[in-house]
Amino acid sequence: MYSQIFTYQYQFIPDSTATENKISQLMILNINKDRSEFYSIEKMKIDSTLLARRNKGNNDPRYTQSEYISTYRILKYPNEKTLDHKLTLGVTSYLLKDDRKINWKLESEFVEILGYKVQKATTTFGGRKWIAYFTRDIPFTDGPYKFRGLPGLIVKVTDENDQHLFELVGVKNSTENFIYPSSVSLKDLPAINYKMFKRKFEEYRGNPAADLMGSIPDQPDRNGNMKTGTELWLEISKREKDKLKKDNNLIEIDLLK
C-alpha cells in the first residue's frame, strides 16, 4: 500500500454579505509515507489536462474553472514543522514555507462520526476559532487544509460561525505511488516565508492585475472595437477588483485585517 486517500466535503461562504451563497467542493488528503498532499479534485483535473497538453507540445495555459475553486496545494511532511503551500496570486505562483504552529486544546467531549469515535478539540488559527473532531482509530496526525498535530486524523473541522467546514466523506487505500499531475515543479517556484506572503498578498489585493500591466497588446474587443492595451488592462483590473470584493470571507480571515 502506497497511500491512503481521504475525501473531504468542503463547504464555505465566500462572500460575507451573501451568506445564502454556500459553495461546496470535494477535496483530497492523500497521505503517503514521506508527505501528505491536500488539494481540490476539480483543480487536480485541470492540472492533469494542462500537463497532458504540455506533453503533446501545447503550452496553452487557458482553461475554464468554477469561480471559487480552491487552487492551492498544501504539502505536510512527517516530523517537520514547516509545510509547503503552493498558491497563485494573479498569474504568479509561489511556494509559501509556512512554519506557524497550531496549538490545540483537547476537550472532554466524544461523539461518533462515520462510525468512528471522535474527540473534540479547539484552536485559533488564521483569525478564526476552530472546532475539530479527530479519531485515534486512524493514526495520522493530519487533517484537511493546514490542520494537523492532533493524536489522530481530523474527520471534521469548522470555524465557530460555520462559514468554513471540512468533513470527511470517504476513505480508500491506493496501491499507486501518488504524483500530483503538475506541469510546474514545486522546486522551481519562488519560495517565500509568511511575512513575505502577507506583503505580496496585500499588493495583489490592492492591484490584482499588476502582473499584466504593459503586457497586453492593442487589439479588438469582443465587439470588434479596437482598444489599446492600456484600456484593456484597466477593464481587466476593474473586473478583478470587483471579483475580489465578493471574495471577502477567506479561510484565513486575518489576511484581510
Side-chain angles (χ1 to χ4, degrees), residues 102-110 118-123 130-136 148-152 154:
I102 298 179
N103 297 306
W104 295 97
K105 178 184 178 183
L106 300 187
E107 308 286 350
S108 56
E109 179 179 327
F110 296 84
V118 300
Q119 182 176 354
K120 181 179 178 181
T122 56
T123 191
W130 295 91
I131 301 167
Y133 294 90
F134 70 95
T135 178
R136 299 174 190 267
R148 60 175 171 174
L150 286 167
I154 297 171

Side-chain angles (χ1 to χ4, degrees), residues 41-108:
I41 290 180
E42 184 176 350
K43 184 60 167 64
M44 184 188 69
K45 290 178 179 178
I46 291 171
D47 287 343
S48 180
T49 298
L50 294 177
L51 178 60
R53 283 186 196 168
R54 193 195 70 168
N55 291 339
K56 293 180 180 179
N58 180 357
N59 291 316
D60 185 354
R62 292 174 296 181
Y63 57 85
T64 301
Q65 69 174 43
S66 303
E67 184 176 4
Y68 292 109
I69 181 177
S70 298
T71 59
Y72 54 76
R73 281 170 62 197
I74 293 172
L75 293 86
K76 311 186 194 96
Y77 308 94
N79 304 316
E80 290 189 23
K81 68 175 184 177
T82 301
L83 59 80
D84 287 342
H85 179 180
K86 189 264 184 183
L87 56 96
T88 302
L89 298 176
V91 296
T92 305
S93 294
Y94 300 94
L95 190 64
L96 167 61
K97 311 293 285 189
D98 196 342
D99 62 357
R100 292 173 296 161
K101 182 180 179 181
I102 298 179
N103 297 306
W104 295 97
K105 178 184 178 183
L106 300 187
E107 308 286 350
S108 56

Side-chain angles (χ1 to χ4, degrees), residues 4-9 26-29 114 116 138 153 155 167-173:
Q4 287 190 263
I5 301 170
F6 301 93
T7 303
Y8 289 84
Q9 189 83 40
L26 291 176
M27 310 289 291
I28 293 292
L29 176 65
L114 284 181
Y116 297 106
I138 305 178
L153 185 77
V155 300
E167 190 161 16
L168 186 68
V169 294
V171 180
K172 70 176 182 178
N173 297 328

Side-chain angles (χ1 to χ4, degrees), residues 160-173:
E160 64 177 349
N161 297 315
D162 292 323
Q163 295 183 340
H164 290 267
L165 165 67
F166 296 95
E167 190 161 16
L168 186 68
V169 294
V171 180
K172 70 176 182 178
N173 297 328

Side-chain angles (χ1 to χ4, degrees), residues 54 86 92-95 182-191:
R54 193 195 70 168
K86 189 264 184 183
T92 305
S93 294
Y94 300 94
L95 190 64
S182 177
S183 57
V184 179
S185 173
L186 293 178
K187 70 177 184 296
D188 294 331
L189 297 177

Side-chain angles (χ1 to χ4, degrees), residues 141-153:
T141 61
D142 211 331
Y145 192 61
K146 299 179 181 180
F147 298 108
R148 60 175 171 174
L150 286 167
L153 185 77

